[in-house]
Amino acid sequence: MTKNESIDTTTAGLAGTTTTSPALRRLGRTGPSVFPLGLGCMGMSALYGEADRCESVATIHAYLDAVPEGAGALLDTGDFYGMGHNELLIQEALRTAPAAARDRALTSVKFGALRTVEGGFTGYDGRPEAVRNFLAYSLQRLGRDHIDIYRIARVDPDVPIEETVGAIAEAVQAGHVRHIGLSEVGADTLRRAAAVAPVSDLQIEYSLVSRGIEEEILPTARELGIGVTAYGVLSRGLISGHFTRDRALAPGDFRGMSPRFQGENLHRNLDLVDALRKVADDKGVSVAQTAIAWVLARGEDIVPLVGARRRDRLAEALGAMDVTLSPADLAAIEEAVPAGAAAGDRYPEAQMAHLDSEH
């Protein structure tokens, strides 16, 4: 994929009639070809309250079943999601899936977050020896001999990104990792990392209400031939069409601390959802499908990650691939949810400080 090809794809997505297709999407110049939607598994283990283990496994199975033969089914996780719980859950799901479905699975793993017994976060460790240590534990928990895409969750401010990426590159050479990824890094860090070794994709938040990457990060990724796996495409349920103004969040739900879910911010953001709902209703599709289809339409080099914890939510998300957005639809969506319209930061202040992408 050349720079010009990336720009042409994006222009088509923004200005012309765009039909989201089940055709495979490649993660950058060097990454794997994958199904247009990946499955983010974090919520099955952490940050959104209790999850049903059996339903979580069934949802992973349903996702694998939805991916056609020959396509990569991208399962995204982190070794710190539930302090290893999520990787063990994925292992269980893969172990109990039919062999053909299991063979389609591609694992995308984030590492580096340091946790306490109580569940707190105390920083990030990107030292080469730490990379090797995290990787050994993840391979064991996943029950696999390699990880398809491996990335540090946040840049360690005390370790040059070149050293961290260099350690992952050594794991690629050893056959323990297939591809190098990055997460929540800015354009300068992206360039520095790509100068060390080929980078398949940048995982970063991107949605109708989180469009900060459009100014510098996304153009840089395209220039370098790096794909994007977009998380938070429904802004943690905020723009799913299912979140209500009077909803009581369960203890331990991350959204209870998220600025976008607080007080007047929540009401202002749900006003945006109400405007988006009118667009969705006119098309006869759901709000969630409209929001996901918008991300799919931003370019063939972008793969949205949907954080479905249940089969019905997964089915809804998969339906977004059948949504066609015309120029009039795109204009109506833009009018309903203009860039920068969201109220509140996407993370609490302390966590925003860890985002290289925001500096």
Side-chain angles (χ1 to χ4, degrees):
M1 180 175 59
T2 67
K3 178 181 178 182
N4 288 336
E5 287 172 340
S6 294
I7 292 173
D8 290 344
T9 297
T10 306
T11 301
L14 297 180
T17 299
T18 301
T19 302
T20 58
S21 164
L24 301 187
R25 296 190 169 194
R26 187 171 182 183
L27 294 181
R29 293 194 187 110
T30 64
S33 294
V34 300
F35 192 62
L37 290 180
L39 182 62
C41 299
M42 179 189 74
M44 299 175 181
S45 298
L47 297 183
Y48 294 133
E50 291 292 329
D52 184 313
R53 188 180 188 88
C54 290
E55 181 62 22
S56 295
V57 170
T59 301
I60 294 174
H61 286 171
Y63 172 68
L64 296 174
D65 289 343
V67 177
E69 184 177 353
L74 192 63
L75 299 173
D76 184 75
T77 185
D79 63 9
F80 51 93
Y81 293 166
M83 281 74 88
H85 178 280
N86 205 236
E87 289 179 322
L88 292 170
L89 178 73
I90 290 174
Q91 183 197 128
E92 178 183 344
L94 294 179
R95 188 181 67 249
T96 55
R102 183 167 59 246
D103 290 344
R104 290 193 287 274
L106 299 178
T107 51
S108 168
V109 179
K110 291 178 289 298
F111 69 89
L114 304 176
R115 305 291 305 269
T116 66
V117 173
E118 294 76 20
F121 288 85
T122 60
Y124 297 89
D125 193 343
R127 296 170 302 141
E129 55 267 41
V131 175
R132 292 186 283 270
N133 179 77
F134 289 130
L135 175 59
Y137 279 86
S138 283
L139 290 171
Q140 179 66 27
R141 285 189 293 261
L142 289 166
R144 296 170 76 83
D145 63 4
H146 72 276
I147 289 170
D148 293 285
I149 309 172
Y150 202 50
R151 68 186 89 239
I152 191 165
R154 301 287 186 268
V155 174
D156 181 344
D158 297 323
V159 178
I161 193 64
E162 290 86 352
E163 294 185 17
T164 303
V165 169
I168 304 174
E170 291 176 1
V172 172
Q173 289 295 319
H176 303 313
V177 170
R178 293 285 189 266
H179 304 281
I180 301 169
L182 292 167
S183 177
E184 286 289 355
V185 304
D188 179 64
T189 303
L190 199 59
R191 292 185 186 281
R192 288 168 52 201
V196 175
V199 175
S200 68
D201 70 302
L202 167 63
Q203 186 173 124
I204 196 163
E205 187 166 356
Y206 187 38
S207 73
L208 274 167
V209 294
S210 296
R211 296 174 60 174
I213 72 170
E214 292 177 346
E215 182 174 347
E216 184 178 12
I217 295 173
L218 184 56
T220 300
R222 285 176 166 155
E223 175 192 336
L224 297 171
I226 296 171
V228 169
T229 42
Y231 76 89
V233 294
L234 297 178
S235 195
R236 299 164 185 84
L238 181 63
I239 59 172
S240 67
H242 301 298
F243 203 93
T244 60
R245 297 174 193 270
D246 59 352
R247 179 171 173 177
L249 295 172
D253 192 317
F254 161 81
R255 292 170 292 190
M257 300 182 295
S258 172
R260 289 186 174 172
F261 289 82
Q262 303 301 312
E264 185 59 29
N265 285 350
L266 175 63
H267 292 287
R268 289 171 58 189
N269 291 329
L270 290 181
D271 286 343
L272 298 175
V273 177
D274 289 341
L276 183 62
R277 193 185 306 278
K278 295 177 182 177
V279 180
D281 287 346
D282 286 345
K283 291 191 64 62
V285 299
S286 74
V287 175
Q289 288 168 340
T290 304
I292 296 168
W294 182 88
V295 178
L296 282 165
R298 304 306 280 184
E300 296 294 322
D301 52 352
I302 298 174
V303 175
L305 300 172
V306 295
R309 301 195 294 172
R310 301 181 346 220
R311 284 168 285 180
D312 59 336
R313 293 287 193 252
L314 174 65
E316 180 184 25
L318 292 172
M321 294 190 297
D322 298 323
V323 176
T324 300
L325 297 179
S326 69
D329 294 329
L330 292 167
I333 291 170
E334 190 73 26
E335 182 178 358
V337 188
D345 288 332
R346 55 196 182 101
Y347 284 99
E349 183 178 358
Q351 294 184 35
M352 288 291 289
H354 290 292
L355 298 177
D356 182 78
S357 56
E358 295 287 341
H359 301 318

